[in-house]
Amino acid sequence: MKNVGEAPQEELATGERSTRNRVARSILDHGPSTVADLAKRLGLTQAAVRRHLDALVNDDVVAARDQRVYGARTRGRPAKVFALTDCGRDAFEQSYDKLAVDALSWIERTAGGGAAGEAAVAAFARARLEAQAEAYRKAVEAADPEGRTGALAKALTADGYAATARNAPVGEQLCQHHCPVAHAAERYPQLCEAETEIFSRILGTHVQRLATIAHGDGVCTTFIPKAAHQADDKTSKTDTSASASKAGRNPA
């Protein structure tokens, strides 16, 4: 006889799968995560998180690795983080990757291959990003100087990139935890290069791509120097000061 309150085996299995999917989705949205990070975000015990991670590792959906440390390294071994594998990413919104690769390959061949083919793919990549960039540009321009990277992250998230912004020692890091065209970008880095150029133009400063999912990293990471925001602040203060000094003057 079944105990009171005991769920049927199918319901238990469904609940397990649902929670497991939440764990994987949280890693997708927030990037490589520790057990403690996941437990806090999902409202689970660390023991429960470890159990789901063990299953996801066995299914080749996530993999464990040492956490990257930025700045001065603290004592002791780095914490383990869990990141999505290529297999895990395939489960999230990447059904059009083969079509994208085929289309880029056709563009490359039609242009004659070699340097001409690479240039044609680069031109396509820039045109594609330009079409998306208007929404990003509007979001950034509407934000205060110190909030522009965050505004860009939100705009990217709306396009499926699961992006976040975080402070770094001498600037900020824009992190994209998902890339809908990761497999295409692995073969055609022009897609990543065009995206970096667009970020630079929108933010009005040189930016540096530190890591990409296409190259095997867990997150696409772009560094934005602090000088960019300081320059915006100085320009704003200069404009305000100039306006104040001219206020009340006779135009003649």
Side-chain angles (χ1 to χ4, degrees), residues 27 29-34 37 41 65 67-71 81 146-154 162-177 210-211 217-226 229:
I27 295 172
D29 290 340
H30 297 275
S33 306
T34 64
D37 292 335
R41 285 199 298 262
R65 67 187 190 203
Q67 185 175 31
R68 285 187 177 181
V69 178
Y70 297 94
V81 295
E146 64 275 10
R148 289 180 178 176
T149 303
L152 177 56
K154 287 182 180 178
T164 58
R166 66 187 183 193
N167 290 326
V170 289
E172 289 180 294
Q173 286 183 353
L174 176 68
C175 301
Q176 294 157 261
H177 305 290
L210 302 179
D217 299 296
V219 181
C220 293
T221 307
T222 306
F223 174 71
I224 296 97
K226 190 174 292 184
H229 305 295

Side-chain angles (χ1 to χ4, degrees), residues 10-115:
E10 305 84 49
E11 290 181 21
L12 285 172
T14 301
E16 288 283 293
R17 284 196 299 270
S18 176
T19 304
R20 204 156 292 162
N21 287 340
R22 287 176 60 215
V23 172
R25 182 76 207 193
S26 185
I27 295 172
L28 172 71
D29 290 340
H30 297 275
S33 306
T34 64
V35 170
D37 292 335
L38 290 163
K40 183 177 180 181
R41 285 199 298 262
L42 299 173
L44 301 170
T45 65
Q46 292 193 22
V49 169
R50 286 193 184 92
R51 180 164 51 83
H52 289 299
L53 286 171
D54 285 344
L56 290 168
V57 168
N58 287 337
D59 291 340
D60 193 32
V61 174
V62 303
R65 67 187 190 203
D66 288 337
Q67 185 175 31
R68 285 187 177 181
V69 178
Y70 297 94
R73 185 182 291 274
T74 57
R75 287 183 134 192
R77 295 183 61 185
K80 286 286 183 186
V81 295
F82 293 84
L84 287 180
T85 62
D86 286 342
C87 178
R89 290 186 185 283
D90 283 345
F92 292 99
E93 303 165 9
Q94 287 183 273
S95 59
Y96 294 104
D97 256 9
K98 185 178 185 304
L99 177 62
V101 171
D102 289 346
L104 290 169
S105 179
W106 182 87
I107 291 171
E108 187 176 35
R109 290 196 312 271
T110 302

Side-chain angles (χ1 to χ4, degrees), residues 140-141 143-149 172 200-205 224-240:
V140 169
E141 289 176 352
D144 292 331
E146 64 275 10
R148 289 180 178 176
T149 303
E172 289 180 294
S200 180
R201 291 218 313 270
I202 290 174
L203 294 171
T205 183
I224 296 97
K226 190 174 292 184
H229 305 295
Q230 292 174 342
D232 285 332
D233 291 340
K234 287 178 181 177
T235 301
S236 176
K237 289 176 183 177
T238 301
D239 291 344
T240 304

